[in-house]
Amino acid sequence: MKTIKSFLFFWVMLLLLIQKTNAQPGTLDTSFGKGGVVSYDTMTDNSDALIQPDGKIVELSSSFHGYSIKVRRFNPDGTFDSTFGIYGQASIVFPGFLLPHNIAIQEDGKIVFTGDYLSNGHTNVGITRCNVDGSIDSSFGNNGFDTIFLDNITFATGLAIQQDGKIVVSGDLRKNIYDDERTFISRRLPNGGPDSSFGKDGNVVNHYNVSINSIALLIRPNGKLVIGSTFNTFSEHASYMLASFNPDGSVNSSFGENGIAQYIFGEGQSETWNSLMESMALQPDGKIVCVGISGTDDPLMAICRFNEDGTTDLGFGENGSLITPYLDYHNMYVNDVAIQPDGKIVTSGVSWKWSYTPFTLLLTRYTDQGQLDPLFGKEGISAIDTPSGMSANHVFILPDGKIFTS
């Protein structure tokens, strides 16, 4: 569940609040926006967000008012940043460039994002770069715009910037809606165009013999790449899967089994387990935390952790994973995950009891060993009721220890 019809900010006070007040960790920070919440423009989809080093918030969305992509920047207190675009908002218009997906920031403060680019009946990946003030960076690609075309449908799900400024995009390839067994990685030069030193002509295409849906990309400090996916999507036991690649695009055979690591919830059990991976995060020690949903009936919050070499971290949760319900709610999604400096793990998501009941935003915090943190919210879960349609798609840990979600 990646898109919503309204955009919501809230910060949650952590250590700073614990030291200065008696408030429970996991409550809203009322110094942000109105009562801890900033909401605006119910006619946009929140696709992605990031936190700049200076604490400003950048949000990427598409607009239902017209065929444009919106990039908005907010000050740390939730007000619009008037130095960005027009009163805090930049409208990006390229013919055929419609639905945004991922956003990243370069060391120089320029903002890169991807989206669907429709051309000649094909869905390609469009890449755009904005200057610090929100204007299009004409030095990038073709007057600010670059494209990736690898098949009839080339769909981006991951974006990362290397230390040398090269841009890495990952996603899925399709000839048609029934072709769902390939992922790709494409590396672009700092000013656009394929990097010929990576894979074949700047691209790596990965073929699998079952359905796969990639969800995220990360780059390790040593330059190795990891794609996270739901593997064998429509089977009785779909798995969380990580695929690791060397900096040149070749398979990292030292990771998992020939570059592949999997975690299967309910492995060996006869029931059907509905699993869907949604996000992942890299810990400082090289371990990777993966989150999503799984369960034999209604989907529940599901988290697991891999060691740096791709083996399951059996000391995490219960033999590597933990499945967490919320009250007696029947529907649940986990959308994102972030790692605190102390090693605790925070996830964001949404739950609702019935199809006609309002959504409840969920922030869940786990200890570094994969157990619910009793010091956070109520037994590890902070729940905030919202109007139906809102979700917590992204979560970040701020330098002062607060939690931000959108």
Side-chain angles (χ1 to χ4, degrees):
M1 186 167 186
K2 290 298 186 183
T3 58
I4 57 177
K5 290 188 177 179
S6 59
F7 179 68
L8 176 70
F9 282 137
F10 63 86
W11 276 359
V12 183
M13 299 296 284
L14 293 177
L15 182 59
L16 183 62
L17 190 56
I18 297 169
Q19 292 174 338
K20 293 188 176 181
T21 75
N22 294 320
Q24 171 70 18
T27 58
L28 290 173
D29 174 12
T30 57
S31 69
F32 179 78
K34 184 178 180 180
V37 177
V38 172
S39 62
Y40 69 89
D41 195 352
T42 58
M43 294 300 291
T44 60
D45 280 342
N46 173 20
S47 298
D48 204 356
L50 61 82
I51 308 296
Q52 295 188 170
D54 60 3
K56 291 183 178 181
I57 304 153
V58 182
E59 180 266 335
L60 176 68
S61 63
S62 60
S63 173
F64 295 147
H65 299 299
Y67 293 114
S68 66
I69 291 175
K70 305 292 185 182
V71 183
R72 298 179 173 95
R73 192 164 71 193
F74 298 83
N75 294 310
D77 63 359
T79 58
F80 277 99
D81 177 10
S82 60
T83 67
F84 186 83
I86 300 176
Y87 301 112
Q89 175 177 283
S91 296
I92 312 300
V93 180
F94 286 104
F97 192 36
L98 303 180
L99 298 175
H101 293 297
N102 306 105
I103 190 169
I105 190 168
Q106 299 182 171
E107 288 187 359
D108 60 4
K110 292 183 178 181
I111 298 168
V112 179
F113 60 90
T114 63
D116 289 345
Y117 171 56
L118 306 182
S119 177
N120 298 321
H122 298 145
T123 300
N124 309 320
V125 176
I127 311 170
T128 301
R129 188 165 69 195
C130 294
N131 294 309
V132 176
D133 63 0
S135 60
I136 294 294
D137 179 8
S138 59
S139 70
F140 178 78
N142 182 9
N143 199 31
F145 192 65
D146 193 14
T147 60
I148 301 172
F149 168 67
L150 297 175
D151 211 321
N152 294 337
I153 302 173
T154 308
F155 184 83
T157 60
L159 172 67
I161 310 295
Q162 293 188 171
Q163 294 179 351
D164 59 4
K166 292 181 180 179
I167 300 165
V168 185
V169 179
S170 65
D172 297 333
L173 293 181
R174 307 282 188 264
K175 290 188 180 300
N176 51 56
I177 60 173
Y178 305 105
D179 172 27
D180 58 359
E181 299 180 354
R182 292 176 296 156
T183 65
F184 77 90
I185 311 174
S186 181
R187 191 163 72 191
R188 319 301 286 181
L189 297 171
N191 282 324
D195 175 12
S196 60
S197 68
F198 183 82
K200 182 180 180 181
D201 299 324
N203 304 300
V204 172
V205 176
N206 313 295
H207 297 259
Y208 302 95
N209 59 1
V210 297
S211 174
I212 187 168
N213 294 98
S214 65
I215 54 93
L217 168 73
L218 61 82
I219 302 179
R220 294 184 182 274
N222 61 8
K224 293 185 178 181
L225 310 167
V226 179
I227 296 180
S229 305
T230 301
F231 183 74
N232 208 3
T233 311
F234 303 108
S235 72
E236 294 183 351
H237 287 85
S239 65
Y240 290 6
M241 191 190 87
L242 302 180
S244 181
F245 302 86
N246 295 311
D248 63 358
S250 60
V251 171
N252 174 20
S253 58
S254 66
F255 180 84
E257 185 175 344
N258 197 30
I260 301 293
Q262 295 185 65
Y263 189 87
I264 302 175
F265 290 92
E267 185 174 17
Q269 299 185 22
S270 59
E271 300 96 337
T272 296
W273 282 70
N274 302 306
S275 299
L276 187 68
M277 182 173 163
E278 288 288 352
S279 188
M280 62 181 179
L282 178 65
Q283 296 187 170
D285 61 2
K287 295 181 179 181
I288 297 176
V289 178
C290 302
V291 299
I293 55 174
S294 188
T296 58
D297 191 6
D298 299 321
L300 303 176
M301 294 183 282
I303 183 172
C304 72
R305 189 164 70 188
F306 294 91
N307 293 313
E308 187 173 8
D309 63 1
T311 57
T312 299
D313 180 3
L314 297 178
F316 183 82
E318 299 173 5
N319 294 319
S321 70
L322 189 69
I323 291 182
T324 306
Y326 175 66
L327 301 178
D328 58 348
Y329 280 31
H330 298 283
N331 300 280
M332 188 172 297
Y333 281 93
V334 178
N335 296 322
D336 203 8
V337 59
I339 311 298
Q340 293 186 178
D342 62 1
K344 291 184 178 181
I345 300 161
V346 179
T347 68
S348 64
V350 65
S351 184
W352 63 100
K353 190 168 186 177
W354 308 108
S355 60
Y356 52 83
T357 56
F359 285 13
T360 297
L361 300 187
L362 299 180
L363 282 179
T364 305
R365 192 166 77 181
Y366 301 86
T367 67
D368 61 353
Q369 294 303 309
Q371 302 298 329
L372 288 173
D373 181 5
L375 301 178
F376 184 81
K378 185 177 181 180
E379 299 178 355
I381 300 176
S382 176
I384 300 173
D385 292 330
T386 72
S388 182
M390 290 186 177
S391 179
N393 287 354
H394 319 289
V395 65
F396 302 92
I397 310 300
L398 302 182
D400 59 4
K402 297 175 184 178
I403 298 174
F404 164 80
T405 187
S406 67

